[in-house]
Amino acid sequence: MGAFAGESQARNKYTYFASVAKEEGFTFEANGIEFNMIRVEGGSFEMGSEDPETFEDGASLDDAPIHDVTVGSFYIGETMVTEELWGAVMNTDVEECSESYPMLASWYDCQEFVKRLSSLMGIKFRLPTEAEWEFAARGGNESIGYIYSGSDDIEDVAWYEENSEGYLHEVAELDPNGLGIYDMSGNLYEWCQDWYDEDYYSYSPEDNPTGPEDGTEKVVRGGSSLVPDYACRVDIRGGLDPQNGSVVGLRLVMDFGVVDDNQNE
């Protein structure tokens, strides 16, 4: 068991599980609320797009050029962090909210959440890097090149402007991708750990890129229930003020090796 903040073992229960795609992972329990983390085997892939789309208002998307990237193994949330899990960790009242809706939060509030969750569990959690996020969204080493996370038909896997009726939906209502991960296209934008630079792909390192050293915006990925289909593609990227807590949520990542299934409780 990997330790965090002086802890020798996790205070709360975790158990082994297999996702709907039969990928290995762990179910954690934080203050009585369970959440699943799916194992993503490290590998190499072509990140970005060769033919960037363009928004109707003329603002160009900066998902080019295609470049080779290698990431290590990690675990990623089966779903985005829900209001229920957020409330259990942050001791906030979400009684009037559905337990299965993704939580909207600023990047800074997300940092506080992962800090508190890590302290509670004795295991370090964090946000994904942009490269980890895209690798997982594409299906990892099992990717077959879908436009959206899990399908070329957006209706199968994503809530977007044409099918959402303008509302945020509960997590895991549509099909997962090939790794068993839900909603990486559409429904709610997701924060990444990286600072955002529209030109980053022109100088990004190949091995485990973590973004620019500084900036004014943080990377957001995945699209939302309010955007067109092309904004939900797995290669589309953007940036937002990290203080913006109205249109973005979070998905957890855990480094490979911090939990040992041989020590499974």
Side-chain angles (χ1 to χ4, degrees):
M1 168 76 69
F4 175 73
E7 297 292 336
S8 60
Q9 62 180 7
R11 298 194 194 97
N12 288 333
K13 181 180 179 182
Y14 67 90
T15 56
Y16 170 85
F17 91 111
S19 75
V20 294
K22 308 303 181 185
E23 296 296 326
E24 296 179 347
F26 289 93
T27 296
F28 291 89
E29 184 179 318
N31 288 335
I33 305 302
E34 292 187 347
F35 62 99
N36 293 334
M37 301 291 293
I38 293 177
R39 179 171 172 168
V40 181
E41 292 287 348
S44 299
F45 71 111
E46 291 186 334
M47 187 172 182
S49 173
E50 191 173 80
D51 182 23
E53 295 285 349
T54 301
F55 282 123
E56 292 180 1
D57 65 4
S60 179
L61 294 171
D62 49 6
D63 52 333
I66 288 179
H67 54 292
D68 293 331
V69 167
T70 298
V71 296
S73 299
F74 59 96
Y75 291 86
I76 193 166
E78 181 182 41
T79 69
M80 296 184 70
V81 169
T82 62
E83 292 174 342
E84 181 182 47
L85 178 58
W86 184 281
V89 173
M90 303 293 279
N91 296 315
T92 56
D93 184 9
V94 291
E95 184 177 351
E96 297 180 359
C97 302
S98 168
E99 63 185 34
S100 296
Y101 279 95
M103 183 69 191
L104 285 77
S106 73
W107 186 89
Y108 291 113
D109 286 343
C110 292
Q111 296 301 309
E112 181 62 25
F113 173 83
V114 296
K115 178 181 177 181
R116 293 192 189 187
L117 177 64
S118 298
S119 178
L120 175 68
M121 301 299 296
I123 297 169
K124 186 175 181 179
F125 293 90
R126 58 179 175 84
L127 298 183
T129 66
E130 184 176 20
E132 289 171 336
W133 189 97
E134 186 169 321
F135 186 61
R138 288 179 178 273
N141 292 316
E142 305 305 316
S143 174
I144 56 177
Y146 286 136
I147 298 172
Y148 309 104
S149 184
S151 179
D152 283 334
D153 186 348
I154 192 170
E155 300 286 338
D156 293 340
V157 294
W159 296 111
Y160 70 114
E161 68 174 7
E162 295 297 326
N163 67 1
S164 69
E165 299 183 341
Y167 296 107
L168 186 67
H169 288 255
E170 295 183 7
V171 300
E173 289 188 335
L174 300 176
D175 294 341
N177 73 2
L179 294 175
I181 308 168
Y182 293 88
D183 306 313
M184 294 196 81
S185 288
N187 206 32
L188 186 63
Y189 279 107
E190 304 185 20
W191 289 115
C192 293
Q193 186 65 30
D194 311 29
W195 287 107
Y196 171 75
D197 178 357
E198 62 182 7
D199 298 319
Y200 182 63
Y201 282 6
S202 66
Y203 64 91
S204 169
E206 180 174 340
D207 292 335
N208 290 305
T210 57
E213 292 186 2
D214 54 32
T216 59
E217 295 179 319
K218 288 291 184 177
V219 171
V220 294
R221 286 303 206 108
S224 80
S225 60
L226 302 178
V227 301
D229 53 0
Y230 56 76
C232 299
R233 288 169 32 173
V234 293
D235 54 1
I236 298 301
R237 61 194 302 263
L240 279 179
D241 183 336
Q243 297 184 72
N244 188 325
S246 62
V247 295
V248 195
L250 74 153
R251 189 181 301 268
L252 296 169
V253 159
M254 178 180 75
D255 289 332
F256 181 74
V258 299
V259 173
D260 181 354
D261 57 1
N262 292 323
Q263 298 183 39
N264 200 358
E265 297 178 349

